């Protein structure tokens, strides 16, 4: 007979392993979709040759419904439009489309907790807008991409952001958000 303590420990170990597998699967999914966005960005600077068929990279953006900050998701959509203009001017076949999901969460903390739950089951969005206080929580759980190399590689896209704002997007080991 298995002691009850041992059975409970095995159940916790199994649950932890399952959560770890889900988190790993979610991150593989995020990296794949994030790679699509990065490839589109690389296309904007002329790395890819133009082709005849147009490929659309579809990205989902999660943002809290916020009457005081409606430009937060609007800025991402506008960024995709600007990227598409550059892609078109260069004759590239890729385009980016952003679908905005607005959460009815009453505040940024509730929104961040809902996002963490969604990421935990492998269904998180490609991009999300969250309060800067939560960036390191997403980074610690493996749900945020380190951006330092991309920021350095593409200063034309990030150089106009006030330097003092970058601190709000940093965790101890790097930058994981864009102010």
């Amino acid at each position: 007979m298995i002691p009850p303590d041992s059975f409970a420990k095995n159940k916790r170990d199994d649950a932890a392993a399952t959560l770890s597998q889900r988190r790993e699967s979610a991150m593989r999914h995020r990296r794949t979709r994030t790679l699509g966005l990065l490839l589109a960005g690389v296309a904007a600077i002329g790395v890819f040759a133009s082709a005849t068929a147009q490929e659309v990279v579809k990205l989902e953006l999660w943002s809290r419904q916020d009457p005081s900050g409606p430009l937060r998701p609007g800025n991402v959509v506008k960024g995709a439009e600007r990227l598409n203009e550059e892609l078109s001017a260069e004759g590239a076949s890729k385009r980016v489309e952003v679908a905005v999901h607005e959460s009815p969460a009453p505040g940024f903390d509730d929104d961040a907790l809902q996002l963490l739950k969604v990421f935990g089951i492998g269904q998180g969005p490609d991009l999300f807008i969250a309060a800067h206080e939560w960036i390191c929580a997403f980074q610690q759980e493996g749900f945020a991409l380190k951006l330092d190399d991309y920021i350095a590689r593409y200063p034309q896209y990030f150089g106009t952001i006030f330097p003092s704002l970058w601190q709000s997007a940093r965790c101890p080991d790097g930058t994981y958000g864009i102010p």
Side-chain angles (χ1 to χ4, degrees), residues 24-34 122-124 126:
E24 186 176 320
S25 174
M27 284 311 299
R28 270 196 307 272
H29 174 72
R30 292 239 7 95
R31 286 183 190 120
T32 300
R33 292 185 67 170
T34 300
Q123 297 180 4
D126 303 298

Side-chain angles (χ1 to χ4, degrees), residues 2-3 6 19 28 33 58-59 121 123 149 152 157 160:
I2 299 174
S6 176
L19 179 59
R28 270 196 307 272
R33 292 185 67 170
K58 296 181 180 189
L59 301 170
I121 61 170
Q123 297 180 4
D149 291 342
Y157 300 115
T160 59

Side-chain angles (χ1 to χ4, degrees), residues 37-38 72 76 127-130 132 135 145 147-148 150-151 157-159 161 165-166 168-170 175-179:
L37 175 62
L38 295 175
R72 289 182 177 112
V76 176
L127 305 164
F128 59 93
I129 296 171
H132 69 276
I135 290 175
L145 177 68
L147 300 172
D148 294 303
Y150 302 102
I151 293 166
Y157 300 115
F158 302 107
I161 296 173
L165 296 178
W166 283 107
S168 69
R170 287 198 179 99
T175 305
Y176 287 87
I178 300 170

Side-chain angles (χ1 to χ4, degrees), residues 63-136:
S63 178
R64 182 169 95 48
Q65 289 176 349
D66 185 3
S68 68
L71 292 180
R72 289 182 177 112
N75 287 335
V76 176
V77 171
K78 184 67 173 171
E81 291 170 2
R82 289 175 63 186
L83 176 59
N84 286 334
E85 289 170 9
E86 289 184 31
L87 291 168
S88 179
E90 293 183 3
S93 63
K94 292 190 185 294
R95 298 295 181 271
V96 176
E97 184 179 295
V98 177
V100 178
H101 165 78
E102 291 186 302
S103 162
F108 279 109
D109 289 347
D110 293 322
D111 188 51
L113 291 171
Q114 287 179 12
L115 266 170
L116 286 169
K117 289 176 187 176
V118 171
F119 278 127
I121 61 170
Q123 297 180 4
D126 303 298
L127 305 164
F128 59 93
I129 296 171
H132 69 276
E133 295 90 352
W134 283 91
I135 290 175
C136 294

